[in-house]
Amino acid sequence: VDELGQKLATQLYVFQERESKFWGRQASVRVGWKYLVQLGKSAGILVENAEAETRWKKAQDAVEWYCRHGWAIDAGSEELFAEAPDWPSQLHRVRVRMRRAYARATDQMAAVFSELLGYHQDDLNALPTVGEAVLQQLQLSKGPTAIVCVDAFRFELGQRLAQLLNEGEPV
């Protein structure tokens, strides 16, 4: 599965290029490059974050990693595990293997995080609260600032919302 993931990740550009051309967009009978693009993106996320948990020394390291990079694993997992009846049967085994790789990676990360919390129970209490984090951002900002606080929102969706807001505004 690791070799498969590497291969899919390295070929992502090729898949995207072909998906955007005639056989992926204009042909009356399209070639399913979009499925390989999805697998390539999912594989790329796993490859980029391979063994991230080995670099965590404290629970705070894991939280910081998740806020910067780890949420993308949730996003990739959501897409990979979504119901997709139109998937070609030829790629079913590849998709199943990628799902297993995601499950194995997230299980490993969760186990390491739980172990870190067991050894360093006060680590989470040392993290700033939302109010403290907002105050720190306000002190850093030099101009007008908009803050959107959403409770009980998946972090990955919050990242997408922030990206959409930032793309729609100049700053």
Side-chain angles (χ1 to χ4, degrees):
V1 174
D2 294 337
E3 286 180 36
L4 174 64
Q6 284 280 1
K7 187 69 170 173
L8 286 168
T10 57
Q11 294 297 310
L12 177 58
Y13 176 75
V14 174
F15 302 152
Q16 289 172 325
E17 187 70 21
R18 291 187 177 168
E19 198 260 339
S20 69
K21 302 294 183 198
F22 178 79
W23 290 108
R25 295 268 181 229
Q26 299 167 332
S28 57
V29 179
R30 295 183 182 149
V31 176
W33 289 106
K34 67 180 182 178
Y35 304 108
L36 287 171
V37 168
Q38 182 184 350
L39 289 171
K41 285 180 181 178
S42 297
I45 292 167
L46 277 185
V47 169
E48 288 172 17
N49 293 288
E51 299 180 3
E53 69 278 4
T54 61
R55 296 183 290 276
W56 304 340
K57 304 296 179 225
K58 304 178 291 186
Q60 184 173 353
D61 297 337
V63 171
E64 289 172 2
W65 168 83
Y66 184 84
C67 291
R68 284 193 194 105
H69 310 287
W71 65 269
I73 290 179
D74 282 346
S77 179
E78 186 78 22
E79 195 169 304
L80 196 60
F81 282 86
E83 194 68 34
D86 62 332
W87 266 75
S89 59
Q90 301 91 329
L91 291 176
H92 181 70
R93 284 184 51 211
V94 175
R95 189 169 186 233
V96 167
R97 287 181 180 181
M98 288 305 302
R99 284 176 168 179
R100 280 192 212 133
Y102 261 81
R104 187 176 61 238
T106 55
D107 285 350
Q108 178 63 27
M109 289 174 186
V112 170
F113 184 64
S114 292
E115 191 173 316
L116 287 172
L117 282 178
Y119 288 124
H120 309 283
Q121 296 171 359
D122 295 331
D123 272 6
L124 291 183
N125 294 333
L127 294 173
T129 64
V130 172
E132 292 167 341
V134 167
L135 183 60
Q136 183 181 22
Q137 286 299 314
L138 287 174
Q139 291 170 343
L140 293 174
S141 70
K142 303 215 186 295
T145 304
I147 298 171
V148 179
C149 293
V150 183
D151 191 19
F153 203 58
R154 282 194 0 231
F155 192 82
E156 171 261 322
L157 292 176
Q159 286 287 6
R160 287 186 193 179
L161 176 61
Q163 184 179 14
L164 288 172
L165 289 172
N166 287 331
E167 286 174 359
E169 295 296 321
V171 179

